[in-house]
């Protein structure tokens, strides 16, 4: 099979070595005589997969045993529900920073379970920048939720101030993409299908003291305490998904976060450079300090040019560059598994397109 240059936002490109190992495990997992798809979730082998993956998450995030690591199902959106179900209450409001579609949806889901205060929003700017961080954060909040990378618009919090209340972050589209102080967070979570493996699994990392704050009744499947007690196998786990995430974590460790960050900066730099100097393409985010290293969004001058550019990319084996349906244009996702050479090819095609059309 000829592999495409895949810039999709998620499910996203995975490293070839991870795909090969995952494929081999579908045939047989570790001399068990079973496919990974047949491996019981209560087997010793799966317990080992869970243990190693949890250890790697802690190691890569620089966390000690004061944090619990969970593999859950329901993707990013189920965390939009579980966070307020577990941590909001009738006595404490939940604070949200609205920096994009997913951040807003998280706050809307939270409103089903308690009072929500949106402390900052860039909705009026159509999310083409980050909102200003709130000057004061009420210390009466159950938590403050933010989305570290806004996948649809291409903005990213490169530095997050401390809030004085528990910070909870959706890191679905930039987890492990750069060095970051993960100990700032009382909890963070990420749907796996970008930097962490295949769709269908979500990582949740929770500081243990937070688990004591769960006071209202929450059914076991949705209750972080119960999930911790059952070590991520309360129900039939996504064995293959968690295994693929373990392969991604091993790959991430081997490459090293410092190198990954350096490459991510290089890739984003190449693309933004091309956009800032283009006579056809315009980047969506003009405030350079707010630009995402993971998702780069831009438009062409006319819908006809956009159609023609997609067609030219397809002819050159490039896929996944169409913008989210809510903003249009283009979105190029540069997650950890995307090699610098793929971005060089894309930039080259952009320049060829420009030479033909400007
Ligand atoms: N949060 C962010 C930042 C996302 O980018 C996405 C999906 N792209 C989600 C949440 C939703 O994830 P899921 O589709 O797994 O519910």
């Amino acid at each position: 099979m000829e592999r495409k240059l895949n810039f999709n936002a998620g499910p996203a490109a995975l490293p070839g070595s991870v795909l090969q190992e995952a494929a081999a495990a579908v045939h047989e997992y570790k001399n068990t005589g079973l496919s990974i798809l047949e491996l019981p979730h209560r087997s010793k082998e799966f317990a080992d997969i869970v243990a190693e993956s949890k250890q790697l998450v802690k190691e890569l995030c620089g966390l000690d045993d004061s944090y619990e690591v969970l593999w859950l199902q329901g993707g990013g959106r189920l965390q939009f529900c579980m966070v307020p179900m577990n941590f909001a209450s009738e006595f404490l409001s939940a604070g949200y920073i609205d920096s994009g579609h997913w951040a807003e949806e998280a706050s809307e889901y939270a409103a089903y379970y308690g009072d929500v205060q949106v402390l900052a929003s860039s909705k009026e700017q159509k999310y083409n920048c980050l909102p200003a961080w709130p000057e004061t954060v009420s210390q009466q909040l159950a938590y403050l939720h933010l989305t570290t990378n806004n996948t649809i618009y291409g903005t990213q919090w490169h530095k997050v101030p401390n809030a004085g209340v528990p910070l909870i972050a959706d890191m679905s589209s930039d987890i492990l993409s750069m060095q970051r102080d993960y100990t700032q967070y009382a909890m963070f979570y990420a749907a796996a299908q970008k930097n962490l493996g295949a769709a269908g699994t979500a990582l949740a990392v929770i500081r243990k003291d937070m688990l004591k704050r769960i006071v209202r009744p929450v059914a076991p499947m949705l209750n972080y305490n119960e999930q911790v007690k059952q070590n991520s196998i309360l129900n039939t786990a996504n064995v293959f998904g968690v295994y693929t995430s373990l392969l991604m974590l091993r790959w991430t460790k081997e490459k090293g976060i410092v190198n990954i960050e350096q490459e991510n900066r290089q890739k984003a730099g190449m693309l933004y450079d091309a956009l800032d100097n283009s006579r056809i393409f315009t980047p969506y985010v003009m405030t350079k300090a707010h630009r995402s290293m993971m998702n780069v969004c831009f438009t062409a001058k006319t819908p006809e040019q956009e159609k023609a550019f997609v067609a030219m990319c397809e002819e050159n084996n490039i896929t996944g560059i169409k913008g989210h349906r809510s903003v249009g244009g283009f979105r190029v996702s540069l997650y950890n598994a995307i090699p610098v050479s793929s971005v060089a090819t894309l930039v080259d095609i952009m320049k060829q397109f420009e030479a033909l059309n400007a």
Side-chain angles (χ1 to χ4, degrees), residues 192-214:
Q193 62 267 22
K194 299 155 198 299
N195 276 336
L196 270 186
T201 297
L203 173 74
V205 181
I206 309 170
R207 210 173 54 215
K208 282 179 183 163
D209 63 276
M210 291 298 287
L211 295 167
K212 298 196 187 99
R213 299 186 183 212
I214 304 170

Side-chain angles (χ1 to χ4, degrees), residues 93-241:
S93 304
Y96 279 76
I97 307 279
D98 173 23
S99 53
H101 172 88
W102 300 113
E104 185 185 39
E105 196 167 297
S107 73
E108 287 166 358
Y109 278 35
Y112 283 87
Y113 305 102
D115 181 55
V116 165
Q117 292 178 21
V118 177
L119 302 187
S121 173
S122 49
K123 191 170 185 168
E124 274 187 20
Q125 290 76 39
K126 298 202 171 87
Y127 301 121
N128 69 2
C129 59
L130 294 170
W133 193 260
E135 275 173 27
T136 52
V137 175
S138 159
Q139 300 304 296
Q140 298 308 312
L141 293 176
Y143 59 84
L144 178 61
H145 180 281
L146 80 149
T147 309
T148 50
N149 184 75
N150 299 288
T151 325
I152 293 178
Y153 310 91
T155 58
Q156 184 175 23
W157 294 96
H158 295 275
K159 251 198 160 155
V160 172
N162 283 322
V165 296
L167 256 187
I168 298 185
D170 174 1
M171 299 188 183
S172 291
S173 52
D174 71 350
I175 194 158
L176 300 178
S177 65
M178 60 179 177
Q179 293 166 281
R180 163 186 280 151
D181 180 9
Y182 288 91
T183 65
Q184 243 192 315
Y185 298 89
M187 174 179 172
F188 54 92
Y189 61 89
Q193 62 267 22
K194 299 155 198 299
N195 276 336
L196 270 186
T201 297
L203 173 74
V205 181
I206 309 170
R207 210 173 54 215
K208 282 179 183 163
D209 63 276
M210 291 298 287
L211 295 167
K212 298 196 187 99
R213 299 186 183 212
I214 304 170
V215 287
R216 66 173 165 199
V218 181
M221 190 61 196
L222 302 166
N223 184 318
Y224 291 126
N225 267 321
E226 293 300 321
Q227 290 284 359
V228 167
K229 273 190 215 151
Q230 302 289 333
N231 199 21
S232 300
I233 52 166
L234 193 153
N235 74 322
T236 311
N238 179 355
V239 173
F240 182 63

Side-chain angles (χ1 to χ4, degrees), residues 47-341:
D48 289 346
I49 290 171
V50 170
E52 186 188 342
S53 63
K54 287 185 174 187
Q55 199 278 326
L56 275 174
V57 168
K58 284 192 198 168
E59 188 182 328
L60 291 166
C61 296
L63 301 175
D64 61 18
D65 290 338
S66 57
Y67 283 82
E68 294 285 355
V69 178
L70 291 173
W71 292 111
L72 301 169
Q73 296 175 49
R77 283 179 184 80
L78 194 60
Q79 294 314 299
F80 295 175
C81 308
M82 285 177 74
V83 166
M85 276 179 175
N86 283 267
F87 298 128
S89 74
E90 47 190 302
F91 309 110
L92 289 175
S93 304
Y96 279 76
I97 307 279
D98 173 23
S99 53
H101 172 88
W102 300 113
E104 185 185 39
E105 196 167 297
S107 73
E108 287 166 358
Y109 278 35
Y112 283 87
Y113 305 102
D115 181 55
V116 165
Q117 292 178 21
V118 177
L119 302 187
S121 173
S122 49
K123 191 170 185 168
E124 274 187 20
Q125 290 76 39
K126 298 202 171 87
Y127 301 121
N128 69 2
C129 59
L130 294 170
W133 193 260
E135 275 173 27
T136 52
V137 175
S138 159
Q139 300 304 296
Q140 298 308 312
L141 293 176
Y143 59 84
L144 178 61
H145 180 281
L146 80 149
T147 309
T148 50
N149 184 75
N150 299 288
T151 325
I152 293 178
Y153 310 91
T155 58
Q156 184 175 23
W157 294 96
H158 295 275
K159 251 198 160 155
V160 172
N162 283 322
V165 296
L167 256 187
I168 298 185
D170 174 1
M171 299 188 183
S172 291
S173 52
D174 71 350
I175 194 158
L176 300 178
S177 65
M178 60 179 177
Q179 293 166 281
R180 163 186 280 151
D181 180 9
Y182 288 91
T183 65
Q184 243 192 315
Y185 298 89
M187 174 179 172
F188 54 92
Y189 61 89
Q193 62 267 22
K194 299 155 198 299
N195 276 336
L196 270 186
T201 297
L203 173 74
V205 181
I206 309 170
R207 210 173 54 215
K208 282 179 183 163
D209 63 276
M210 291 298 287
L211 295 167
K212 298 196 187 99
R213 299 186 183 212
I214 304 170
V215 287
R216 66 173 165 199
V218 181
M221 190 61 196
L222 302 166
N223 184 318
Y224 291 126
N225 267 321
E226 293 300 321
Q227 290 284 359
V228 167
K229 273 190 215 151
Q230 302 289 333
N231 199 21
S232 300
I233 52 166
L234 193 153
N235 74 322
T236 311
N238 179 355
V239 173
F240 182 63
V242 176
Y243 178 62
T244 309
S245 289
L246 170 62
L247 296 176
M248 266 312 278
L249 289 164
R250 285 184 189 152
W251 178 89
T252 304
K253 182 180 170 179
E254 199 177 310
K255 206 159 166 141
I257 301 273
V258 172
N259 298 324
I260 285 177
E261 172 170 350
Q262 195 236 324
E263 264 186 37
N264 286 340
R265 284 193 190 288
Q266 188 185 352
K267 291 182 288 182
M270 285 158 69
L271 192 46
Y272 284 121
D273 244 24
L275 292 171
D276 287 335
N277 292 303
S278 172
R279 279 166 299 159
I280 289 193
F281 300 109
T282 311
Y284 189 67
V285 179
M286 286 301 186
T287 313
K288 289 190 178 170
H290 296 184
R291 284 176 172 175
S292 166
M293 293 197 292
M294 296 280 97
N295 311 97
V296 179
C297 300
F298 54 99
T299 49
K301 282 208 171 104
T302 63
E304 291 72 32
Q305 280 181 341
E306 291 188 349
K307 243 178 137 176
F309 184 61
V310 169
M312 186 164 175
C313 283
E314 271 166 18
E315 278 162 28
N316 284 280
N317 211 29
I318 291 171
T319 191
I321 61 159
K322 262 195 158 166
H324 189 267
R325 57 192 180 278
S326 59
V327 275
F330 304 103
R331 168 177 53 181
V332 172
S333 297
L334 303 174
Y335 301 124
N336 295 352
I338 302 287
V340 175
S341 60

